[in-house]
Amino acid sequence: MSIPPCPKCNSEYAYQDQNNLVCPECAHEWNPSEVATDEDILTAKDANGTLLEAGDKVTVAKDLKVKGSSLVIKIGTKALIRRIVEGKDHELDCKVDGAGEMMVTAKFVKKA
């Protein structure tokens, strides 16, 4: 029996603990026999209020300074959403053109 990836973070390292599956990366526990509800699926809204999903292409809505660097991501820079994570500040795990992989706040992007 193959174990499915974690529904929260898509980690492939989930393991079985009695009747539940456990993700060692995000500590999420779930019962594989239960169907996922809409509440379990993470969502984020862009600057215009449009729902974003993993795999969407977005553009940066304002100039963003990168913490710990002198790099500035200019308005209109394109990015690809890899996954949506639960967080206070940065919800989108993106691949940003010219800057690489980084976390971005959803309210600073627009769906392309």
Side-chain angles (χ1 to χ4, degrees):
M1 177 178 132
S2 68
I3 296 176
C6 175
K8 272 203 166 179
C9 70
N10 272 344
S11 171
E12 58 188 37
Y13 302 112
Y15 62 90
Q16 188 164 2
D17 183 24
Q18 295 178 357
N19 293 334
N20 290 334
L21 295 177
V22 180
C23 176
E25 292 185 16
C26 70
H28 178 64
E29 294 184 22
W30 73 100
N31 189 338
S33 62
E34 294 178 2
V35 179
T37 62
D38 291 338
E39 296 174 3
D40 293 339
I41 299 172
L42 295 176
T43 59
K45 291 186 178 182
D46 70 358
N48 296 328
T50 307
L51 283 177
L52 299 172
E53 297 177 1
D56 285 346
K57 293 183 181 183
V58 294
T59 57
V60 177
K62 66 177 259 182
D63 289 349
L64 299 174
K65 294 180 183 177
V66 178
K67 285 184 180 179
S69 171
S70 61
L71 179 67
V72 175
I73 300 172
K74 297 290 185 179
I75 230 175
T77 303
K78 295 179 182 177
L80 175 69
I81 299 174
R82 298 284 181 159
R83 65 184 174 140
I84 299 175
V85 296
E86 186 175 358
K88 290 182 181 178
D89 295 333
H90 303 91
E91 303 99 7
L92 307 175
D93 186 5
C94 297
K95 181 175 182 184
V96 180
D97 290 351
E101 298 278 337
M102 64 181 55
M103 301 293 288
V104 179
T105 305
K107 66 182 179 181
F108 297 131
V109 298
K110 294 182 197 174
K111 192 168 182 178

